[in-house]
Amino acid sequence: MSVAQPTRPDRPPGTADMTWIPGGTFLMGSDDHYPEEAPAHKVTVEGFWIDRHTVTNAEFARFVGRTGHVTVAERAPDPADYPGARPELLVPASTVFRRPPHRVDLGNHYNWWTYVPGADWRHPQGPGSSIKKKPDHPVVHVAWEDVQAYARWAGKELPTEAEWELACRGGLDGAEFAWGDELNPGGRWMANTWQGEFPVENTGEDGWEGTAPVGRFPPNGYGLLDMVGNVWEWTVDWYQAHGELAHACCTVASPRGGERDRSVDPGDPARIPRKVMKGGSHLCAPNYCRRYRPAARMPQAVDTGTSHLGFRCIVRP
Ligand SMILES: [Ca+2]
Ligand SMILES: [Ca+2]
Ligand SMILES: [Cu+2]
């Protein structure tokens, strides 16, 4: 049993824009929404520092400038890693959301996700798009390898799912949302999500149709920005059902996710393992994906960045 650290240790170097999250025991997951979030179970996490906002384009550019890092999306995939893949797919590319012009089958996400050659962090919508006017937007189209490289360079790490969820809850244990139990308290939008009928109509009522610059919505109880919504965020945990991991009888101490091999989608011929991503994005909409909540989680293949996935780092004392 690990011991929670209620007091904040001295701030280590390089953590100026980070917030101390006191460790503690909280209710992780939810029994009231999607099956992958259940069962809700008690978890204890030790204290840590976390970035107040997701890593921005300007921050990622500084990293690339210093290191020469070339992201996964900017490289042609190795055919050996993707047996049977069509050659036209083995080019530098990334996955971009494209709003369909008319109503589509919601059961098939290829109706709005498109593999776009030339899409990468500098060209979030593909060739011809740019981040010139978006230095303070979250960086997107980053695969697991890229976020790990950034974290190493910054002297930081990626959070576990439990650390991320504790931070997201902002001290409101068991609440539906990061700010309480109502989606729009007093009619106010608390996160960058999707209004209107997904994926055809985006009314942008919250002010933003795509990503928003970091920090345009109210912080949570810990002062953290955009934990919910804007972009999904990578965690270090291998994806596995909570039910296979949690022990309802007792509190789980510092959980570290599932097993690499078991995180693979059984239908994936390339057998790419998957991490847990958290928090939902600007594409989450009441009629399709109500994942603008701390308990929400989805598997994400480590080789795949998208136009609605970013990350933030932590530092453990
Ligand atoms: Ca929005
Ligand atoms: Ca987020
Ligand atoms: Cu969603």
Side-chain angles (χ1 to χ4, degrees), residues 8-20 49-51 151-157 313-317:
R8 196 180 85 173
D10 289 340
R11 185 180 281 278
T15 58
D17 206 12
M18 301 182 88
T19 298
W20 173 252
W49 304 86
I50 189 166
D51 289 341
R152 259 199 307 272
W153 171 77
K156 300 179 179 180
E157 294 179 82
C313 300
I314 69 161
V315 168
R316 300 193 182 94

Side-chain angles (χ1 to χ4, degrees), residues 252-308:
V252 187
S254 304
R256 300 298 304 239
E259 293 160 42
R260 184 181 191 277
D261 289 351
R262 294 180 69 185
S263 75
V264 173
D265 177 349
D268 175 11
R271 297 199 47 78
I272 305 295
R274 299 180 299 171
K275 297 281 185 183
V276 176
M277 62 176 189
K278 293 288 280 183
S281 81
H282 60 276
L283 299 181
C284 291
N287 73 305
Y288 176 67
C289 173
R290 298 179 311 281
R291 291 193 172 84
Y292 28 63
R293 291 171 294 101
R297 59 203 299 266
M298 282 190 92
Q300 179 68 18
V302 292
D303 65 344
T304 306
T306 70
S307 57
H308 76 153

Side-chain angles (χ1 to χ4, degrees), residues 191-195 202 204-210 217 282-283:
N192 183 10
T193 60
W194 178 294
Q195 298 84 47
N202 185 347
E205 216 179 292
D206 61 15
W208 303 93
E209 281 187 36
F217 291 83
H282 60 276
L283 299 181

Side-chain angles (χ1 to χ4, degrees), residues 113-268:
W113 285 117
T114 313
Y115 194 62
V116 178
D120 58 40
W121 72 276
R122 288 189 187 88
H123 309 93
Q125 307 304 316
S129 66
S130 105
I131 55 168
K132 279 209 180 72
K133 291 181 179 150
K134 298 181 170 180
D136 51 355
H137 283 238
V139 65
V140 290
H141 297 298
V142 281
W144 175 247
E145 195 184 306
D146 305 319
V147 308
Q148 252 188 322
Y150 179 97
R152 259 199 307 272
W153 171 77
K156 300 179 179 180
E157 294 179 82
L158 271 292
T160 65
E161 180 180 6
E163 286 166 337
W164 193 98
E165 188 169 325
L166 173 70
C168 182
R169 290 183 176 281
L172 298 175
D173 197 19
E176 284 281 282
F177 301 102
W179 48 85
D181 286 321
E182 259 184 90
L183 178 58
N184 307 112
R188 188 173 185 193
W189 291 104
M190 302 298 284
N192 183 10
T193 60
W194 178 294
Q195 298 84 47
E197 185 188 331
F198 183 88
V200 286
E201 183 202 35
N202 185 347
T203 65
E205 216 179 292
D206 61 15
W208 303 93
E209 281 187 36
T211 57
V214 300
R216 293 300 169 94
F217 291 83
N220 77 357
Y222 290 142
L224 303 177
L225 300 160
D226 309 303
M227 289 296 283
V228 164
N230 213 15
V231 289
W232 284 92
E233 299 176 27
W234 282 104
T235 76
V236 70
D237 286 9
W238 296 116
Y239 184 84
Q240 212 159 302
H242 273 339
E244 293 169 29
L245 298 168
H247 304 282
C249 69
C250 43
T251 301
V252 187
S254 304
R256 300 298 304 239
E259 293 160 42
R260 184 181 191 277
D261 289 351
R262 294 180 69 185
S263 75
V264 173
D265 177 349
D268 175 11

Side-chain angles (χ1 to χ4, degrees), residues 39-54:
H41 55 289
K42 281 200 163 173
V43 159
T44 297
V45 171
E46 293 180 32
F48 56 95
W49 304 86
I50 189 166
D51 289 341
R52 288 190 63 232
H53 56 78
T54 49

Side-chain angles (χ1 to χ4, degrees), residues 92-114:
S94 193
T95 308
V96 178
F97 171 82
R98 291 267 164 90
R99 193 164 58 85
H102 46 75
R103 278 198 182 145
V104 292
D105 172 14
L106 285 177
N108 179 4
H109 63 244
Y110 292 109
N111 282 325
W112 54 87
W113 285 117
T114 313

